[in-house]
Amino acid sequence: MKRTGLDELKAVVAVATHLSFRAAATELGMSPSALSHAIGALEQRMGVRLFHRTTRSVALSEAGEQFLACVRPALRDIADAMDVVNQFRDTPTGTLRINVSLGAARMVLTPIVLRFLERYPDMHVDLVSNDRMMDIVAEGFDAGIRQRDAVPQDMIAVPCTPDLRFAIVGSPLISAIAKGPRPLPT
């Protein structure tokens, strides 16, 4: 059995509002015949007539009135919920949770987070710094920063820095300090 979609419910509301398939079709950006077929298919799946229609008029049936009384507020609630979520798209708000190693927090995030918070004052950043490997999704994090070879294969990885090279350097003085104190000549 095919499920009823939002478009079909919007079609019922539009036809009931205009009491005209032509005006409702114009509002919905579809042809009147496609709208009529969609409503007819919905009525057939439900096993009840929502509209009484002739070539000159359209009226809600009793079942259609009851259906509309339930559907119209539900569609309004759905539209409101989508508006609330769209606010997250327009301007970032909420909490960004990042799990990061201590070294990466110092090297990569400190300057970036400060600029990010200046740009998006409605955001909060929750940095959790540890070197324990974890499933960031299961632990409720939005992102994690680790060395490339420590990132699991199924994770999306984006480089944060150019490749880093490390070198061990020393001097005779450092070597002498590492060996410990020497006795003074007599």
Side-chain angles (χ1 to χ4, degrees):
M1 175 186 227
K2 182 182 174 201
R3 289 188 164 169
T4 302
L6 283 177
D7 289 338
E8 290 175 308
L9 300 178
K10 288 178 184 178
V12 169
V13 171
V15 172
T17 300
H18 296 286
L19 293 177
S20 161
F21 277 82
R22 185 169 302 286
T26 300
E27 176 187 320
L28 297 171
M30 60 192 308
S31 72
S33 84
L35 178 58
S36 179
H37 287 298
I39 295 290
L42 175 63
E43 289 174 328
Q44 189 172 8
R45 275 198 321 276
M46 293 176 67
V48 66
R49 208 167 237 310
L50 300 174
F51 296 98
H52 299 298
R53 48 193 176 271
T54 67
T55 55
R56 285 182 256 157
S57 64
V58 176
L60 280 163
S61 68
E62 184 178 344
E65 287 177 7
Q66 290 183 13
F67 185 70
L68 185 66
C70 294
V71 167
R72 189 174 265 155
L75 286 174
R76 212 173 298 125
D77 289 345
I78 291 169
D80 290 347
M82 292 176 79
D83 287 342
V84 167
V85 171
N86 281 334
Q87 292 174 6
F88 285 93
R89 181 182 61 204
D90 297 337
T91 302
T93 59
T95 301
L96 176 63
R97 295 193 72 223
I98 303 173
N99 180 268
V100 61
S101 67
L102 187 56
R106 287 185 182 135
M107 185 170 35
V108 177
L109 283 184
T110 302
I112 294 172
V113 169
L114 294 175
R115 284 191 309 245
F116 179 81
L117 290 174
E118 286 173 2
R119 187 171 180 183
Y120 303 109
D122 293 336
M123 287 294 300
H124 301 283
V125 176
D126 181 12
L127 282 180
V128 175
S129 179
N130 61 34
D131 291 319
R132 178 176 65 92
M133 291 308 297
M134 64 175 62
D135 181 342
I136 62 171
V137 174
E139 298 281 338
F141 289 97
D142 299 299
I145 299 178
R146 292 286 185 266
Q147 290 181 349
R148 181 180 311 158
D149 58 340
V151 176
Q153 291 289 326
D154 63 340
M155 299 296 289
I156 297 171
V158 177
C160 298
T161 65
D163 286 343
L164 300 174
R165 293 178 50 178
F166 294 95
I168 298 174
V169 295
S171 72
L173 177 61
I174 297 297
S175 178
I177 292 172
K179 290 180 182 175
R182 286 192 272 176
L184 294 173
T186 55

